[in-house]
Structures are given as structure tokens and as C-alpha cells.
Amino acid sequence: MSKKKSRYAPTLNDVARESGVSAITVSRCFRHPEKVSDAVRKRVMETVEKLGYVPNSAASALASRRTDVIGLLLPSLNNNVYLDVVSGAFDRAHGTRHAIQIGNHKYSPLEEEKLIRIFLQQNPAGLIVAGGEQTEAATEMLREADCRVVQIMDTDVDPIDLVIGLDHERAAGEAVAGLLARGYERIGFLGARMDTRSQKRLAGYRRVIGDSGGEERIATSPMPSSARLGAQLLADLFARYPDTDAVFTNNDDIALGAYLECQRRAIRMPEDFGIVGFNDMDLLEELNPSLSTVRTDRYRMGHDSVDRLIALADTARPEGAAVLDLGHACMWRGTTREA
Amino acid sequence: MSKKKSRYAPTLNDVARESGVSAITVSRCFRHPEKVSDAVRKRVMETVEKLGYVPNSAASALASRRTDVIGLLLPSLNNNVYLDVVSGAFDRAHGTRHAIQIGNHKYSPLEEEKLIRIFLQQNPAGLIVAGGEQTEAATEMLREADCRVVQIMDTDVDPIDLVIGLDHERAAGEAVAGLLARGYERIGFLGARMDTRSQKRLAGYRRVIGDSGGEERIATSPMPSSARLGAQLLADLFARYPDTDAVFTNNDDIALGAYLECQRRAIRMPEDFGIVGFNDMDLLEELNPSLSTVRTDRYRMGHDSVDRLIALADTARPEGAAVLDLGHACMWRGTTREA
DNA sequence: ACCGTGAATGATTGCGCTGTCATTGGCAAT
DNA sequence: ATTGCCAATGACAGCGCAATCATTCACGGT
């Protein structure tokens, strides 16, 4: 046993010799099992078990010009929203031969373009990109890509193969309309890290407020979301619009901050003030009163996009791109009055 | 030209031809830049830029029997604790040629063993494993592995190359001792998902309670942590020990649940009841009163383990394994009295 | 008996890169 | 001038696998 090298790692050839078949037959047992007779496959698989053979993915990738890697490009890893996506993606990939490779571009389109180039160069089995803020070059690469691409989070992006997301503008609009329906009249918007999705939520807020003839009351910050920032934004909003009686927030972190700021100011919820968050993080349902919010199914976005990519792997680009709207659900809970 | 294919993807040879050097020299510019003269390297790198060349990692891995992948084996992806580790690991790997490959074994040692086998077979640049609950076979594989292994989270594991973590038993003991020092006398323990780390925290609780001559008051559940479960566990504890005046909890989710249950029961914190959580999730500092907890540096565990692995890649197993204790910090905040 | 058919299996080749060893040439010490 | 040495660069082979094409063989229809 040398100090280095897992030297006895068996190869395809070892398995083939041991099972009395040719190497390619062993290969087929993994890649195209339907092309091998049951008897042979069983024998080969027993040898595989016995020797502890694990295919060398580098060799496989080199020979077939195709890896089993599904790339998952995200704008952040500091956010529960994306953790849910990751979790769904990994759950679906688990037990398949596919691996998920995460890339984090930190909301930088240039960084994203770089990652897309690197990922595509490795011939992935598929690619999942979050959000539709790519550079032109990146979009072009995705269009030309030799693998299927799933765009997640938003539905209103320029589709390539498949889009799985929701309509943030509509979801926000519905939440704000729900506040109006519940008798709140002077509704504000709190938002942090105003990326495109946040912009869309703001647009939904504006549309509904505009339609209702109400006044826009907006407090935003380019900083990343946090509860602390949420409290500051609400304080800011109150400073400018003291009679605000409800807020719709960009996400649940901000909502929690606003919620706690209300508690500090002894503002009664839902009687005198309403809050609606966005995303439905588990924790916040437990508060008293519990937080009203808009539920989005991030787990399923991750899960289903991997599911579709596995199904679509090795297929040609479909004629028309499909858009899967997973929708949303307004969860009216304790921080808003009854309708 | 086939119907698809990132067709003009340039290879090493293209770069070599274009720069007027041999292929191996281009290779060296990437793998061993110090062995190439500055002039040549500059010229080659310009060509690389010009052609948009990206090395084919499969070919590189096959030829060198070494990938640039650092495996990160985690017991869960539904938990902020591990998200922080992931985040730190990705941040450190960003911009290097190394990629992080996550594996999620969902607290199953058998699954972990399988993942370790698969990962090692790909000749990773390094491996990070969380927790010390491996099967014997898994431990053996890690010991024989042809790459450096970093064990994170705990410090009291049987070390292989490098351990980066903290002493959960000690941290818990300190937290409980802190509660005693703050005048709480009938202290309970709430715990969910009693994995080894939770067991260690429980052991720390027991030690300190035992030393103080107090009575053990323990409510645990095998279920995954959640705020809801925390509330239930506290209710359970009160049912059995109505005079409990403080709890140390397994983690912050449980602590939040206990906190909210106290609010529902109108129990005053910190006067009549103390709570100390574990992990220091950002959100909970914002509560009123803010949650006392034990801060642990998960981000740094992820970050530093990648950092060390990059430094140690291609080195032999060191003689003595090193243990890096990142320590912890008891954050005495609003849910506990002054000392 | 003959052929055609198709399922099962095998032989060959090369994917793109890097380890190894060989070669070149410049320079300091003799 | 000669030697030895080292830095810089190159030629070649082969990593482990799968695409491609070739071969074998059983079987049913005529």
C-alpha cells in the first residue's frame, strides 16, 4: 500500500475480465442497460459489487463528450430562498447518476457569463439558471448550448427550452390587492436588494396602488435583505408617511424586521397595521401573530427543473419553449385583518 | 458537423498552434505556470483569451488522475447551519480552479459511505466531511484516501488530516454554566434530531447540571428541528417540570419555538424565564427581547477547510493530524438576565 | 435448406490532456 | 574551449471509457 493512490481502483476492464465479457458490454450495463441481456447484466453487476467498481466519470465524460453534471447557477448562497432550490435539486438528483454542480455568481451578470462559459465547456447534462438577467453573450451561449436549459424563478423571461417559475409582478399585485380588500388604505412597499425580481414585485405593487387611486409609499435599499434592514426601512417609511397602515415587503426577512419594529412601537397587528411578506419562510408562521405572506414553491423549482432536465437530456432543443408557472399562494395569517 | 455541439470549442492544441508553442507548454501555463517563461506564458494567455479557451476538465482529470473538485459531504441541506458552511466554501473556491461538489447524505452513515466511495473514485483535490459518524468502512476509505480530508463541525473526532470545528460539549456546558451564573436554577434541555452533535451538547448540559447538583430536565425528539417542534418540546417540558426557569436548546430553531411559546404563555423573559439557543442565526438577534445563543462560525469552517485543502492539495498525509478549534462565543442577550 | 432479421456482444479507435523523459541552449566554473 | 548544470520547451504515450462499426447467433418464414 503506497502512501498515495487508491491504486487498486478497479476499471471497466477489470470488471469485464472478471465477468468474462468485453469492456464495452460492461459500459453498456451502465449507460444503455436495455441493450444487454438480463443474464449478462446480472452477472456484470455482481462483479461490479464484488470489486466495488465505480465508473470514472472523467473518462466517461471525455469519451462521450457528455458529463452527468447538471449545473445550477444561482445569484446567492446567503439566502434561504436559494437553499430551498438547492435542496429540491439535490433531492431529485439523489440516486440518479446525475450530480448537481452549483455556481454562485453573486448577482453579477459578468460573473454569471463566466460561469456559463465554464459550465458549458464541460458539456453538462443540463443547466439551470436562476433569473433572467444574463448578459447578451450569456444569453447567446445558452441559446447555442448543446444541452437543455431551464430558467427558474421568473416566468416572464425570454424562454430558451423551459421556464419554471412564477409571475412576481402578479403575485405582488395580488398581495397588495388583498391588503386593499382587507380594508388597509395607505399601503407601503419595503424592499431590499432591488434585483429584477424585486423590481417586478415593486411593479406589481405600483400597478395595484395606481389602479386603486392610492399614493405610492416606497422605501427601498440596495443592501442585502435582513431583518435589521427591514426595521430600518419601516422606520424610514413611517418618517415620510406617518399614516401608513400596511406594508407589502419584498421578502420575509424584511417583513420580519418590519414586524419587530411594529412590536417595538407597540403598533397592533392586524388591527392597526398589516404586513404581508414574500416567500413563506417556515419560521415566520410560528410568530404571534403569524406573518401573512406569499408562498412560493422554491423547492419544487429546484426539484422539477432537475426532473425535466433528466428527462430531456440528450434530446434536441424543442420547437417551442415551455413555460411552467408554479404559481403562488397568498397566505393570509395573523398580520392582516380578515377580508 | 453534428446537429448540435459547442462546435468551435478550442482545445489545447488550438491554443498551442495559435501561440506557436507545443501543447504541453500551454498545459503547463495552467498547471505549473512557474515552469514557463514569462514571455511565453503571456503570449499563451493572450491566445487563451482570444480564443476563449477553457480547459476540458474531464481530459485533465483523466490524464492527471486528479480533479480540481473538492467534495463537501453534508448531512442535510434543509438547514441554515450547513448553508453557511456551503457559502464559506464557495466563497473561498471562487476564482480558483477548484470546484465544490456537494453531497447530501441526509444523516445516513450508509449513504455517506456510498458518497465517499463515489467521490474518492473521482480523485478529488480534497474532501470535507461534516461530523464524525462515518461507518468503519467509510473511515477506512478516508484514511487510505489519496487526497487530504478535512473533518468539520466537531473537534472531538478521530482526526485524519485536519479537523476544523468546535467542542460542542464544552460550548453547551459553558452556556448552561452561564445560565446558572445568571441565577437560573431549574434549567431544562430541549433538543431535536438528536444526532451526535446534539448528543454532545446534551452531554455538556448534563455535566454542568450534574456538577451543580441540579436535576436534569430533558425534552427531546428525533424529528428534524423546527420552531413548531421547539414550542412543543417546551410545552412537554413544562408539563413534566412546571417550575423550570430556563432552557438551553439544541439550536436556534428550537429556541425560537420555545421563545414564542413563552410569549403565548405570557412568561416574562428574561425575568422569569431564560432561553439560550445554539448557532446564532442572524434573524433571532432582532427579536425583542433578542435571543441569547451560542455563536458558532460555520462560514469559517467552510471557508477555511477549502483554504487548507487548496494549500494541502498534492501533499502527502501529514504525520500528525492537526485540530483547529474555532471556538464559540456565548452571546448573552435579551432572553437571559445579567450575570 | 435457405435467407433475412434483429438482438446481443465484441474490436477498434480516439476523446483532450498531462506525466515522463528527452532535447535544447545559455551560462558559470574550470 | 570545455564541461556541467539548469531552465525552458518538446515528443510521445496513455489515462478509462463509449461511439461506431462489425460480428455472431438464434429463430421464423419461405
Side-chain angles (χ1 to χ4, degrees), chain A residues 186-338:
Chain A
R186 296 172 300 282
I187 304 168
F189 177 94
L190 305 184
R193 164 97 72 197
M194 296 304 290
D195 57 18
T196 48
R197 274 179 290 289
S198 301
Q199 300 286 2
K200 287 171 193 169
R201 290 174 209 152
L202 176 55
Y205 161 86
R206 282 193 153 129
R207 173 174 52 77
V208 173
I209 293 295
D211 289 353
S212 78
E215 179 193 19
E216 289 182 4
R217 299 149 178 257
I218 299 171
T220 64
S221 163
M223 310 268 294
S225 294
S226 70
R228 179 163 298 173
L229 181 57
Q232 284 168 12
L233 289 172
L234 182 62
D236 174 27
L237 198 75
F238 276 144
R240 289 186 285 133
Y241 307 98
D243 62 345
T244 301
D245 67 355
V247 284
F248 167 65
T249 70
N250 192 33
N251 65 45
D252 281 349
D253 288 330
I254 299 295
L256 175 63
Y259 178 104
L260 294 169
E261 183 64 19
C262 284
Q263 283 193 337
R264 274 187 286 270
R265 294 177 181 226
I267 297 173
R268 290 182 310 164
M269 296 175 286
E271 298 83 353
D272 303 331
F273 198 78
I275 299 183
V276 181
F278 202 97
N279 277 330
D280 193 23
M281 282 168 40
D282 312 332
L283 285 185
L284 306 184
E285 187 177 354
E286 305 301 318
L287 299 175
N288 314 292
S290 62
L291 189 75
S292 295
T293 188
V294 179
R295 171 173 293 177
T296 62
D297 204 342
R298 286 96 54 200
Y299 180 91
R300 199 165 150 214
M301 283 180 218
H303 183 279
D304 288 9
S305 47
V306 171
D307 187 72
R308 300 318 304 147
L309 281 178
I310 291 177
L312 295 175
D314 302 321
T315 65
R317 175 141 291 157
E319 277 312 309
V323 176
L324 240 69
D325 191 334
L326 296 187
H328 62 274
C330 291
M331 311 302 292
W332 298 106
R333 298 198 278 234
T335 54
T336 46
R337 294 193 286 255
E338 298 285 320

Side-chain angles (χ1 to χ4, degrees), chain B residues 1 19 33 56 59 74 79 91 103 107 119 190 218 229 233 256 291 299 301:
Chain B
M1 199 111 309
S19 332
N56 179 317
L74 301 172
N79 193 320
D91 280 358
Y107 290 100
F119 274 57
L190 305 183
I218 299 171
L229 181 58
L233 288 172
L256 176 62
L291 189 76
Y299 180 91
M301 283 180 218

Side-chain angles (χ1 to χ4, degrees), chain B residues 26-53:
Chain B
V26 179
S27 169
R28 274 196 278 255
C29 286
F30 286 96
R31 318 301 294 188
H32 309 286
E34 76 285 358
K35 294 190 174 175
V36 179
S37 67
D38 290 349
V40 169
R41 192 170 58 246
K42 179 153 174 298
R43 184 150 45 92
V44 167
M45 284 313 188
E46 276 164 7
T47 313
V48 165
E49 272 303 310
K50 187 173 121 201
L51 301 185
Y53 168 74

Side-chain angles (χ1 to χ4, degrees), chain B residues 14 16 25 36 84 153 160 168 231-232 286 288 292 307 313 335:
Chain B
D14 298 332
T25 298
V36 179
D84 291 335
M153 306 310 286
I160 297 175
H168 292 257
Q232 284 168 12
E286 305 303 317
N288 313 295
S292 295
D307 187 73
T335 56

Side-chain angles (χ1 to χ4, degrees), chain B:
Chain B
M1 199 111 309
S2 70
K3 63 183 199 297
K4 312 213 105 219
K5 175 169 299 190
S6 33
R7 61 193 78 204
Y8 302 125
T11 70
L12 242 190
N13 273 305
D14 298 332
V15 177
R17 198 175 327 107
E18 186 81 10
S19 332
V21 298
S22 69
I24 186 65
T25 298
V26 179
S27 169
R28 274 196 278 255
C29 286
F30 286 96
R31 318 301 294 188
H32 309 286
E34 76 285 358
K35 294 190 174 175
V36 179
S37 67
D38 290 349
V40 169
R41 192 170 58 246
K42 179 153 174 298
R43 184 150 45 92
V44 167
M45 284 313 188
E46 276 164 7
T47 313
V48 165
E49 272 303 310
K50 187 173 121 201
L51 301 185
Y53 168 74
V54 176
N56 179 317
S57 54
S60 169
L62 185 58
S64 68
R65 295 119 176 274
R66 167 70 59 224
T67 69
D68 292 333
V69 170
I70 292 176
L72 175 55
L73 295 183
L74 301 172
S76 166
L77 282 176
N78 299 313
N79 193 320
N80 283 296
V81 168
Y82 297 110
L83 179 60
D84 291 335
V85 174
V86 169
S87 185
F90 271 83
D91 280 358
R92 179 59 186 82
H94 192 112
T96 73
R97 62 189 162 83
H98 292 277
I100 305 291
Q101 177 75 53
I102 294 176
N104 173 14
H105 56 71
K106 302 192 168 195
Y107 290 100
S108 156
L110 252 61
E111 193 57 47
E112 184 178 27
E113 177 183 326
K114 212 156 92 186
L115 285 175
I116 289 174
R117 176 169 290 115
I118 293 174
F119 274 57
L120 285 180
Q121 187 72 28
Q122 310 315 325
N123 298 312
L127 206 53
I128 304 169
V129 297
E133 314 175 57
Q134 287 85 30
T135 63
E136 202 144 321
T139 306
E140 179 63 18
M141 281 192 285
L142 292 177
R143 293 209 165 282
E144 298 295 324
D146 182 25
C147 69
R148 294 315 106 234
V149 175
V150 179
Q151 296 150 287
I152 58 170
M153 306 310 286
D154 301 77
T155 49
D156 65 339
V157 296
D158 194 14
I160 297 175
D161 290 312
L162 175 60
V163 173
I164 303 181
L166 62 107
D167 186 334
H168 292 257
E169 202 272 353
R170 188 156 56 84
E174 215 170 279
V176 175
L179 281 170
L180 287 168
R182 281 162 180 75
Y184 297 100
E185 296 177 339
R186 297 173 299 282
I187 303 168
F189 177 93
L190 305 183
R193 164 99 71 199
M194 295 304 290
D195 57 18
T196 47
R197 270 179 293 289
S198 301
Q199 300 285 1
K200 287 171 192 168
R201 290 174 207 152
L202 175 55
Y205 162 85
R206 281 194 154 129
R207 172 173 55 75
V208 173
I209 293 295
D211 288 356
S212 78
E215 179 192 19
E216 290 182 3
R217 300 149 179 255
I218 299 171
T220 65
S221 161
M223 310 267 296
S225 293
S226 69
R228 180 162 299 172
L229 181 58
Q232 284 168 12
L233 288 172
L234 182 61
D236 173 27
L237 198 77
F238 275 144
R240 290 187 285 134
Y241 307 98
D243 62 345
T244 302
D245 68 353
V247 286
F248 168 64
T249 71
N250 193 32
N251 64 45
D252 282 347
D253 290 330
I254 299 295
L256 176 62
Y259 179 103
L260 295 169
E261 182 65 20
C262 283
Q263 285 193 335
R264 274 188 287 270
R265 295 178 181 226
I267 296 171
R268 291 183 308 166
M269 297 175 285
E271 298 84 352
D272 303 331
F273 198 79
I275 300 184
V276 181
F278 202 96
N279 277 330
D280 194 23
M281 283 167 40
D282 312 332
L283 284 186
L284 306 184
E285 186 175 356
E286 305 303 317
L287 299 174
N288 313 295
S290 62
L291 189 76
S292 295
T293 188
V294 180
R295 170 172 294 175
T296 61
D297 203 343
R298 287 96 54 200
Y299 180 91
R300 198 165 152 215
M301 283 180 218
H303 183 280
D304 287 9
S305 46
V306 171
D307 187 73
R308 298 319 304 149
L309 281 178
I310 290 177
L312 294 174
D314 303 319
T315 65
R317 175 143 289 155
E319 277 312 309
V323 176
L324 240 70
D325 192 333
L326 297 187
H328 61 275
C330 291
M331 310 303 291
W332 298 105
R333 298 200 278 235
T335 56
T336 45
R337 295 192 285 255
E338 298 286 321

Side-chain angles (χ1 to χ4, degrees), chain A residues 4-257:
Chain A
K4 312 201 98 225
K5 181 163 299 193
S6 38
R7 71 171 62 206
Y8 302 125
T11 70
L12 242 191
N13 273 305
D14 298 331
V15 176
R17 196 174 329 106
E18 185 81 10
S19 337
V21 298
S22 70
I24 188 62
T25 299
V26 178
S27 169
R28 275 196 278 255
C29 287
F30 285 95
R31 317 303 292 189
H32 309 286
E34 75 286 356
K35 293 191 176 175
V36 179
S37 66
D38 290 350
V40 169
R41 192 171 59 245
K42 180 155 174 295
R43 185 150 45 93
V44 167
M45 283 313 188
E46 276 164 7
T47 312
V48 165
E49 273 303 310
K50 187 174 123 201
L51 300 185
Y53 169 72
V54 176
N56 179 317
S57 53
S60 169
L62 185 57
S64 67
R65 294 121 175 274
R66 168 69 62 225
T67 69
D68 292 333
V69 170
I70 292 175
L72 175 55
L73 296 184
L74 300 172
S76 166
L77 281 176
N78 298 315
N79 192 320
N80 282 295
V81 168
Y82 297 110
L83 179 59
D84 291 335
V85 174
V86 168
S87 186
F90 271 83
D91 280 358
R92 179 59 186 86
H94 192 112
T96 72
R97 62 191 163 82
H98 292 277
I100 306 291
Q101 178 76 55
I102 295 175
N104 174 13
H105 56 72
K106 303 192 170 197
Y107 290 100
S108 156
L110 251 61
E111 194 55 48
E112 184 178 26
E113 176 183 325
K114 211 156 93 186
L115 285 175
I116 289 174
R117 175 170 290 115
I118 293 175
F119 273 58
L120 285 180
Q121 187 71 27
Q122 309 314 326
N123 298 312
L127 206 53
I128 303 170
V129 297
E133 315 175 56
Q134 287 85 30
T135 63
E136 202 144 321
T139 305
E140 179 62 17
M141 282 192 282
L142 291 178
R143 294 210 165 282
E144 297 295 323
D146 183 24
C147 68
R148 294 314 106 234
V149 175
V150 179
Q151 296 150 287
I152 60 171
M153 304 312 285
D154 301 77
T155 50
D156 66 338
V157 297
D158 194 13
I160 297 174
D161 291 312
L162 175 61
V163 174
I164 303 182
L166 62 108
D167 186 335
H168 292 258
E169 201 272 354
R170 188 155 57 83
E174 214 170 279
V176 175
L179 281 169
L180 287 168
R182 281 162 180 75
Y184 297 101
E185 296 176 340
R186 296 172 300 282
I187 304 168
F189 177 94
L190 305 184
R193 164 97 72 197
M194 296 304 290
D195 57 18
T196 48
R197 274 179 290 289
S198 301
Q199 300 286 2
K200 287 171 193 169
R201 290 174 209 152
L202 176 55
Y205 161 86
R206 282 193 153 129
R207 173 174 52 77
V208 173
I209 293 295
D211 289 353
S212 78
E215 179 193 19
E216 289 182 4
R217 299 149 178 257
I218 299 171
T220 64
S221 163
M223 310 268 294
S225 294
S226 70
R228 179 163 298 173
L229 181 57
Q232 284 168 12
L233 289 172
L234 182 62
D236 174 27
L237 198 75
F238 276 144
R240 289 186 285 133
Y241 307 98
D243 62 345
T244 301
D245 67 355
V247 284
F248 167 65
T249 70
N250 192 33
N251 65 45
D252 281 349
D253 288 330
I254 299 295
L256 175 63

